[in-house]
Amino acid sequence: MSLNAQTPIVGTGSSYSSIFPSSAPVTYDVPGGGLVSITLSNGSTTATRGLWDLTAQGGANATILLSLTESAAQVALTGSALQFQISNDNNSLLGLLGAGTSIHYGWQAVAYFDTPGDVLNYTPNTHYSVSFDVDGNNGLLSSVAGLNPSFSFELIDGLGNTLTSTNNTSQINIAGLLGSGVTTGTVNLDYILDGTAPSGPIGVRFIGDAQVGATALSLGTDFATISNLNISATPVPEPGGSVLIASVGVLMLLRRRRLGVG
């Protein structure tokens, strides 16, 4: 058995292989009312779905003679993926808001791998590899559309503190990793712990944000989709560990020579 064997702890081959259970989406309910009203709101709604605490923030609605048209941030789990969405793409809302109006949408999804009996705690001297697929093909994740979106990932401890990746960054800019103008691909990240382990269970946090102009609502209803989240752990020898292993090898070789074996 290899001293540095990689062990899957989230995703394929692990006890957390199905972490995106299909469930009711979490949608921000934009306030409004009256016979004629137009509302832009930056409020938020948070709800728990399986392992995840999902937060949807921001939206707009218009009420004209009791006919309600609404567009709001929404977070959903599909059974195989995590989706950051806009709940409605009703073109009738565009004319009511008017050119130049923009709506703020925000999304957040936090999961701790703390199921009783399968709690994942951080281990000292361990290399953690994280990978996931991103699909942002519909245009809302592209800064080319003038939306200036942000989309980030964080590996967190039990207190919500972020860990620093091997490129010395704690908040990972997903769109930046994929490349300029690229909105779909696989993200691979590495984290190496020394002799001190963070407190509490292992967790992940995805955060999306976009200021969407009224005329860009017609681009679609999906900001980004995350799937195939995998985390694996590999022991890292302590600084003296490799020296000790080498010493044992030398002693065994000397013993074999003394016994005339070779």
Side-chain angles (χ1 to χ4, degrees), residues 119-185:
V119 178
L120 298 182
N121 291 307
Y122 288 103
T123 304
N125 302 306
T126 301
H127 172 196
Y128 291 95
S129 298
V130 181
S131 69
F132 50 88
D133 293 336
V134 180
D135 183 357
N137 251 346
N138 72 324
L140 289 179
L141 190 54
S142 174
S143 58
V144 176
L147 308 177
N148 297 316
S150 65
F151 191 30
S152 61
F153 168 82
E154 296 170 336
L155 187 67
I156 57 178
D157 66 12
L159 299 177
N161 300 312
T162 58
L163 276 65
T164 301
S165 67
T166 53
N167 64 351
N168 296 319
T169 303
S170 56
Q171 188 176 62
I172 306 298
N173 178 0
I174 296 174
L177 284 180
L178 293 175
S180 178
V182 180
T183 57
T184 297

Side-chain angles (χ1 to χ4, degrees), residues 49-261:
R49 300 287 189 269
L51 295 170
W52 298 88
D53 289 327
L54 307 178
T55 300
Q57 178 183 6
N61 68 28
T63 303
I64 306 296
L65 300 178
L66 301 180
S67 176
L68 176 66
T69 301
E70 185 173 71
S71 179
Q74 182 179 79
V75 185
L77 299 171
T78 68
S80 61
L82 165 69
Q83 293 184 336
F84 288 171
Q85 303 171 320
I86 295 175
S87 66
N88 192 357
D89 182 31
N90 194 316
N91 286 326
S92 65
L93 184 61
L94 304 183
L96 295 172
L97 293 177
T101 303
S102 64
I103 305 171
H104 173 252
Y105 298 96
W107 305 266
Q108 182 169 284
V110 180
Y112 282 106
F113 303 106
D114 56 359
T115 301
D118 286 305
V119 178
L120 298 182
N121 291 307
Y122 288 103
T123 304
N125 302 306
T126 301
H127 172 196
Y128 291 95
S129 298
V130 181
S131 69
F132 50 88
D133 293 336
V134 180
D135 183 357
N137 251 346
N138 72 324
L140 289 179
L141 190 54
S142 174
S143 58
V144 176
L147 308 177
N148 297 316
S150 65
F151 191 30
S152 61
F153 168 82
E154 296 170 336
L155 187 67
I156 57 178
D157 66 12
L159 299 177
N161 300 312
T162 58
L163 276 65
T164 301
S165 67
T166 53
N167 64 351
N168 296 319
T169 303
S170 56
Q171 188 176 62
I172 306 298
N173 178 0
I174 296 174
L177 284 180
L178 293 175
S180 178
V182 180
T183 57
T184 297
T186 300
V187 172
N188 294 287
L189 303 168
D190 293 285
Y191 299 79
I192 297 178
L193 298 185
D194 56 18
T196 303
S199 61
I202 295 174
V204 295
R205 179 161 53 213
F206 291 94
I207 304 172
D209 191 273
Q211 194 78 26
V212 182
T215 54
L217 282 175
S218 58
L219 284 173
T221 57
D222 291 334
F223 179 77
T225 298
I226 297 294
S227 59
N228 296 322
L229 175 62
N230 291 278
I231 304 177
S232 60
T234 307
V236 176
E238 295 185 48
S242 58
V243 176
L244 175 62
I245 294 171
S247 300
V248 171
V250 171
L251 289 174
M252 289 297 292
L253 179 60
L254 289 174
R255 184 171 183 272
R256 285 169 62 85
R257 286 179 176 173
R258 287 172 182 166
L259 293 175
V261 180

